[in-house]
Every structure is written in structure tokens, then in C-alpha cells.
């Protein structure tokens, strides 16, 4: 197959879609699939930038061969060694035995660890360049966006930034490859879910990369997943800037665990009251049903959270504990939070939540509410007060 998808005269998109894999990193749902993006520069020297996940190797190599014909593939630039971008390497090397791999010192530490020692290699450092003939490529060291090996490659001739995982997305590229060929609104949630789930922990590293690239004349952003941006660069740059700074929008995510519906009733009630106060976005999730991936993504963008848990074995409800751990792992800060829940005999869920809120460093708003058995009118009155207090902080 040769789709002949060109980023410029001599630069091609040779990525693949994966609609079969259920979980990215065997953790995060791929309800709408994912694209593994790779790029081929067919200059005097031929250069592949990033590769794809092993299951798509045949299609990938076939497309490279159909573009290059009898020409050899001279270089493979590995911006990031995570196996979704490197597990087709051994097959590539069988097809192109003289292939020289370009990466930094950490790249080769990881590649050697995964696949055995690499002989034909070129180690580059930050700000090094590579001439391919008509084009000049420059390498930028951007560790921890997403792994310590991560670097970006900038084609100075065409102004294309090959950004690795940065600016990436879940969701396949269904015909449309470039931002102006698809509806970005359909990608927004999946770009944010990708950011918050995969890269979000490393916001400071993303900000360092922004500083590094401040004066680079970028005309196109070509990530390893999701759309290529050539018209609306600021659409994705502004969102990444906001997310990596931890800036939020006014809104509340109500997250509850509930065995028999009593805590759920309180969660639904408080969601309605929050909406009545004028909070623009209110979202409610049953933590036992919705995968943490989606909840995490919403909490990433909103300033308010309500955590609701029954007591379970005198402790926090397990699915609530699970999602709060995701917030802790990512060191998510600066949220206004209300805590509610139910108890049957000794309680424990609300107490445990209050402790975790302190550990998170979130600002607890109002009094936490623990209803006995089921919420009564006095508990709902307290929910009214809590929603008003949250609105005062958020709006
Ligand atoms: Fe797309 Fe960090 O790998």
C-alpha cells in the first residue's frame, strides 16, 4: 500500500492505525483505537522518523518500500524508545541491514536493553544537526516527555517538528491525517485523555520543552499519535500549555462509589445543586463503572471535585481509593473539593477521604457530610450549603 500522504515535497506520513488493541500500555482503554505515526524523508539520504508497534510491521515496511523503491533506508531517528514506537525495529533491520539508528545516549541504553546491542548507530546530543541532502534536521533533548530518552527532531528546511509523544492523542486517524482534514472537536477529549493519562505526570518537563522551542519557527507539528497540525498549531499548543501548567476551567467532577444507591443519590443531588449555582460544566461518574482514564481526564481540566464514598469494611470504597491514587501519582494540585458519603455502622469512608484530600494538598471546601444509612433532609440541606460554598470558590 502506498497512500502517498505528503507533509512536504519529500516527507511522507507512513504511520498506521490500530483498532484491535483494547488497552494502551495494557492499562488505558482504546475505545476509538490509536495511530502510531511515523514519517519518511526521501532526500539524498533517506530518513525514517520513529517506527510503529510490532503488530503493524508488515504494512509499515511495505509502505516504506513502496516509496523508496530500490533506494536503501539510511537512517532511523528514534525520538522515543517505548515499544509502541520501537518494536518493529528488528524487522526493519532485516529489511534494511545497513540502517543506521540515530538517538541519544539514553536511547541506546534503552534500545540495547530491549533488543540487544546496536552496532550501526549514531549518537546525537541536544542541538546537533544532520544534513540529509536538501534538508537539515536539528535534535532537541526533551527528557520525560514522556520517557528519559525522549527527544524531538526539527526539520529546519520545512519547519516540521517531529515531537514524539508530545501533542499526541488516542483515536485512530480515519482518513483525515491533518488537523484541517478532520474535526478537532472530535479529538479534543482523546487528546486530553492521552495527555492526562500518559504525559500529564511530567508537566514540568513539557514546560521545559516549551521554553526550549520558544524561538523555533515551527510550521507543522507531527506527533507519534493522532493528528498532524499544520493549520491550527495554536489549538494544540495552547491546550498543552494550559494542561502542563495545571491551569483549570470552572467545572466540577462528581465522583462517587455506591453499593446500593445511597451515596449515588447524594452525588446526583449535589450535581443538580451545583448546576443551579451556575457552574458551567458538571460531570458525574460512578467510579466502579467508568474507567479511571476518563475520570482522570476530566479532573485534569476542571477546578472542582466532589468525592463521594460509602464506608466499606470501615474504610474507603475501593473504586474511589483507586481513582484518588491516580491523582496522587500525578501530583495533581490546586483543586477545590467537597467530601460526602454514607455510613451504616462505624463509618470510615469520609474520614479516609478527608485524610487523602490533605495528602493531595487540595482545598477542602465546606464541611464534609457523612449520612447515616441514607441521606435525610438535614443531609440534603448540608449538600445545598456545600454546593454553594464550592460555587463561591469556583466561579
Ligand atoms: Fe507513544 Fe511513550 O509512547
Amino acid at each position: 500500500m502506498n497512500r502517498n500522504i505528503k507533509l512536504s515535497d519529500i516527507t511522507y506520513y507512513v504511520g498506521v492505525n490500530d483498532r484491535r488493541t483494547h488497552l494502551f500500555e495494557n492499562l488505558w482503554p482504546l475505545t476509538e483505537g490509536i495511530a502510531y505515526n511515523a514519517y519518511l524523508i526521501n532526500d539524498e539520504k533517506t530518513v525514517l522518523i520513529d517506527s510503529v508497534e510490532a503488530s503493524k510491521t508488515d504494512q509499515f515496511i511495505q509502505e516504506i518500500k513502496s516509496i523508496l523503491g530500490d533506494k536503501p533506508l539510511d537512517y532511523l531517528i528514534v525520538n522515543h524508545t517505548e515499544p509502541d514506537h520501537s518494536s518493529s525495529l528488528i524487522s526493519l533491520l532485516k529489511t534494511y541491514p545497513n540502517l543506521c539508528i540515530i538517538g541519544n545516549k539514553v536511547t541506546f541504553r534503552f534500545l540495547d536493553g530491549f533488543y540487544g546491542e546496536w552496532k550501526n548507530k549514531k549518537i546525537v546530543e541536544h542541538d546537533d544537526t544532520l544534513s540529509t541532502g536538501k534538508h537539515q534536521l536539528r535534535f532537541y533533548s526533551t527528557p520525560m516527555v514522556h520517557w528519559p530518552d525522549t527527544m524531538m527532531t526539527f526539520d529546519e528546511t520545512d519547519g516540521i517538528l517531529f515531537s514524539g509523544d508530545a501533542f499526541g492523542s488516542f483515536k485512530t486517524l480515519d482518513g483525515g491525517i491533518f488537523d484541517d482534514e478532520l474535526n478537532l472537536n472530535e479529538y479534543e477529549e482523546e487528546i486530553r485523555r492521552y495527555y492526562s493519562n500518559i504525559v500529564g505526570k511530567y508537566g514540568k518537563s513539557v514546560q521545559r520543552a516549551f521554553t526550549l522551542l520558544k524561538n523555533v519557527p515551527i510550521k507543522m507539528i507531527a506527533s507519534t499519535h493522532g493528528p498532524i497540525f499544520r493549520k491550527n498549531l495554536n489549538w494544540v499548543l495552547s491546550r498543552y500549555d494550559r494542561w502542563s501548567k495545571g491551569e483549570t476551567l470552572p467545572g466540577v467532577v462528581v465522583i462517587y462509589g455506591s453499593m446500593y444507591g445511597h451515596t449515588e443519590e447524594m452525588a446526583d443531588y449535589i450535581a443538580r445543586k451545583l448546576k443551579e449555582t451556575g457552574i458551567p460544566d458538571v460531570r458525574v461518574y460512578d467510579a466502579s463503572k467508568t474507567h479511571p482514564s476518563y475520570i482522570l481526564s476530566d479532573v485534569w481540566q476542571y477546578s472542582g471535585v466532589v468525592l463521594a464514598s460509602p464506608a466499606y469494611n470501615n474504610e474507603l470504597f475501593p473504586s474511589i481509593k483507586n481513582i484518588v491514587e491516580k491523582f496522587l501519582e500525578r501530583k495533581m494540585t490546586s483543586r477545590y473539593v467537597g467530601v460526602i458519603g454514607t455510613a451504616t455502622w462505624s463509618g470510615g469512608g469520609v474520614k479516609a477521604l478527608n485524610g487523602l484530600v490533605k495528602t493531595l494538598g487540595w482545598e477542602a471546601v465546606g464541611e464534609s457530610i457523612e449520612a447515616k444509612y441514607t441521606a435525610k433532609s438535614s443531609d440534603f440541606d448540608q449538600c445545598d450549603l456545600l454546593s454553594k460554598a464550592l460555587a463561591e470558590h469556583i466561579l
Side-chain angles (χ1 to χ4, degrees), residues 24 80 82 84-85 146-147 165 194 198 224-225:
F24 185 70
H80 179 28
E82 191 168 3
D84 54 329
H85 308 296
H146 148 227
W147 277 14
D165 280 348
Y194 180 83
I198 309 299
T224 45
H225 303 285

Side-chain angles (χ1 to χ4, degrees), residues 283-355:
R283 298 195 179 179
V284 183
Y285 290 109
D286 181 338
S288 298
K289 182 164 183 200
T290 303
H291 193 284
S293 172
Y294 297 91
I295 303 174
L296 182 59
S297 179
D298 268 359
V299 172
W300 206 278
Q301 78 163 343
Y302 292 123
S303 50
V305 180
V306 172
L307 295 169
S309 176
Y312 190 83
N313 292 337
N314 304 333
E315 249 290 348
L316 194 54
F317 194 63
S319 59
I320 293 291
K321 190 173 181 182
N322 184 33
I323 187 66
V324 174
E325 277 168 1
K326 301 280 179 294
F327 306 148
L328 283 166
E329 284 162 14
R330 283 159 183 77
K331 299 183 174 66
M332 292 171 70
T333 55
S334 308
R335 299 295 187 287
Y336 299 112
V337 59
V339 171
I340 61 174
T342 54
T344 300
W345 60 97
S346 62
V350 166
K351 184 179 169 196
L353 268 181
N354 281 329

Side-chain angles (χ1 to χ4, degrees), residues 13 16-19 29-37 168-174 176 182-191 193-194 225-227:
Y13 175 80
V16 296
N17 283 315
D18 179 358
R19 297 185 182 86
L30 291 175
T31 323
E32 298 186 75
I34 191 163
Y36 311 114
N37 296 343
S169 175
F170 292 130
K171 191 171 166 62
T172 49
L173 294 169
D174 300 339
L182 40 83
N183 183 350
L184 280 179
N185 293 332
E186 286 179 7
Y187 279 84
E188 173 149 20
E189 299 245 339
E190 287 297 81
I191 291 176
R193 192 165 70 87
Y194 180 83
H225 303 285

Side-chain angles (χ1 to χ4, degrees), residues 143-382:
M144 301 317 298
V145 189
H146 148 227
W147 277 14
D149 60 319
T150 309
M151 61 183 201
M152 297 187 192
T153 301
F154 183 61
D155 182 333
E156 296 187 325
T157 315
D158 280 339
I160 304 173
L161 179 71
F162 299 98
S163 63
D165 280 348
F167 315 112
S169 175
F170 292 130
K171 191 171 166 62
T172 49
L173 294 169
D174 300 339
I177 306 287
F178 298 93
D179 58 344
D180 51 295
E181 296 178 335
L182 40 83
N183 183 350
L184 280 179
N185 293 332
E186 286 179 7
Y187 279 84
E188 173 149 20
E189 299 245 339
E190 287 297 81
I191 291 176
R192 193 182 66 247
R193 192 165 70 87
Y194 180 83
Y195 178 81
S196 59
N197 291 191
I198 309 299
V199 187
K201 183 173 179 180
Y202 309 110
K204 282 185 183 150
S205 305
V206 173
Q207 279 297 313
R208 267 199 296 277
F210 265 109
T211 306
L212 205 66
L213 298 166
K214 204 165 86 182
N215 297 317
V216 177
I218 302 167
K219 291 185 188 151
M220 204 182 297
I221 297 173
S223 164
T224 45
H225 303 285
I228 298 169
F229 290 84
R230 66 181 176 188
K231 286 276 187 297
N232 302 293
L233 274 65
N234 198 46
W235 188 95
V236 73
L237 288 168
S238 59
R239 280 164 177 76
Y240 252 69
D241 190 38
R242 172 155 53 83
W243 297 333
S244 57
K245 281 178 181 159
E247 291 175 1
T248 52
L249 302 173
V252 179
V253 187
V254 180
I255 311 159
Y256 70 87
S258 191
M259 285 173 277
Y260 301 104
H262 302 133
T263 309
E264 179 185 18
E265 185 185 17
M266 291 174 80
D268 265 331
Y269 181 84
I270 211 161
R272 176 63 198 159
K273 292 295 151 189
L274 285 164
K275 198 70 208 169
E276 284 175 5
T277 63
I279 303 275
D281 283 327
V282 177
R283 298 195 179 179
V284 183
Y285 290 109
D286 181 338
S288 298
K289 182 164 183 200
T290 303
H291 193 284
S293 172
Y294 297 91
I295 303 174
L296 182 59
S297 179
D298 268 359
V299 172
W300 206 278
Q301 78 163 343
Y302 292 123
S303 50
V305 180
V306 172
L307 295 169
S309 176
Y312 190 83
N313 292 337
N314 304 333
E315 249 290 348
L316 194 54
F317 194 63
S319 59
I320 293 291
K321 190 173 181 182
N322 184 33
I323 187 66
V324 174
E325 277 168 1
K326 301 280 179 294
F327 306 148
L328 283 166
E329 284 162 14
R330 283 159 183 77
K331 299 183 174 66
M332 292 171 70
T333 55
S334 308
R335 299 295 187 287
Y336 299 112
V337 59
V339 171
I340 61 174
T342 54
T344 300
W345 60 97
S346 62
V350 166
K351 184 179 169 196
L353 268 181
N354 281 329
L356 283 171
V357 163
K358 270 197 192 129
T359 311
L360 278 161
W362 290 4
E363 186 172 339
V365 174
E367 294 291 321
S368 59
I369 306 161
E370 187 168 53
K372 194 82 174 163
Y373 303 106
T374 64
K376 313 294 186 302
S377 61
S378 59
D379 299 308
F380 290 122
D381 289 346
Q382 278 189 275

